[in-house]
Amino acid sequence: MALQWTALEFSYPGSGPVLAGWQWQAEPGLVQLVDGYSLGKTTALQLLAGQLAARSGAVLVDGQAPQQLQAAHALFWHEPRRPDTMPPDTTTLAQWTDALRAHFPYWDDAALAELQQGFDLVQHWHKPLLALSTGSLRKAVMALGLASGAQLVLLDEPLSGLDKPALAFVPQALQLAAQRFAQRGCYLVVAHYEPLLGAGAAVQVLELPC
């Protein structure tokens, strides 16, 4: 089993190629995409999600393209800064949770309960998304993604807008998730400007090319 990124050719209209010729392979667990210059990590996640189409090359998750994972209810990609990836803002967290639970066959309610407590989200679970602060929305997306049981979960800038208790909880949440994902043969890809965990068992660090 492996997550394989093979020499994708992609460029935005009117600009040069992004991540040209980059190749890597990762094993199940936590995969940290590190980009200190913010040159391509969100683009990389969008390509992994199948939201952007490359001219050539391939992304394969255990031999499947992102579009196949999406069709099989095996891909989680929701980014608060990209409304097109989010449900309507009048949706409550409880309603969104129910929809995701029905969508993902390996949904983990026990993991969600731990994450709700760790991120102090219980009090917000019946609020609509529009009533949540930036930090609370980010925490909710992380909790839902880590509990989804999806084959591929993508998280961008997980520390954005978080309060101090949440910042302290994120490494713990990621470490536990890394073990769960590795045991199930799944992939948690987190993009950030620096590693949030050191490389080790079930944790990998990949630096984007400058």
Side-chain angles (χ1 to χ4, degrees):
M1 295 190 295
L3 171 54
Q4 298 169 302
W5 175 294
T6 307
L8 294 189
E9 291 293 333
F10 175 80
S11 61
Y12 291 101
S15 64
V18 180
L19 306 173
W22 191 38
Q23 300 191 59
W24 54 272
Q25 178 171 307
E27 303 303 315
L30 171 60
V31 182
Q32 298 175 92
L33 297 184
V34 177
D35 177 12
Y37 298 97
S38 298
L39 295 178
K41 57 181 179 293
T42 299
T43 298
L45 290 184
Q46 289 177 276
L47 287 162
L48 285 166
Q51 192 175 40
L52 295 177
R55 292 196 303 269
S56 63
V59 171
L60 294 175
V61 181
D62 299 338
Q64 297 185 83
Q67 294 82 357
Q68 292 174 290
L69 293 182
Q70 190 71 264
H73 306 300
L75 172 63
F76 182 98
W77 164 242
H78 296 282
E79 168 51 46
R81 291 174 296 191
R82 301 194 63 84
D84 57 322
T85 70
M86 299 290 288
D89 60 10
T90 54
T91 307
T92 67
L93 282 179
Q95 290 169 335
W96 191 16
T97 301
D98 289 341
L100 292 173
R101 186 184 290 112
H103 181 82
F104 291 109
Y106 299 104
W107 181 267
D108 189 338
D109 272 319
L112 180 61
E114 294 174 5
L115 292 158
Q116 286 174 309
Q117 292 292 334
F119 281 126
D120 191 27
L121 285 168
V122 176
Q123 61 185 315
H124 300 300
W125 219 249
H126 292 282
K127 295 179 181 178
L129 303 187
L130 59 83
L132 299 177
S133 67
T134 300
S136 292
L137 192 56
R138 175 70 60 190
K139 290 187 287 186
V141 167
M142 275 194 284
L144 294 168
L146 298 182
S148 68
Q151 183 74 4
L152 176 62
V153 174
L154 307 172
L155 299 175
D156 196 7
E157 293 290 358
L159 303 188
S160 178
L162 299 194
D163 53 34
K164 287 185 178 179
L167 289 172
F169 179 67
V170 167
Q172 177 186 339
L174 291 180
Q175 187 68 68
L176 291 173
Q179 300 298 326
R180 287 199 295 260
F181 276 66
Q183 289 167 3
R184 290 193 54 245
C186 299
Y187 306 86
L188 169 60
V189 180
V190 175
H192 196 51
Y193 67 88
E194 64 181 3
L196 298 171
L197 294 177
V203 179
Q204 299 156 82
V205 179
L206 293 168
E207 292 192 14
L208 276 72
C210 297

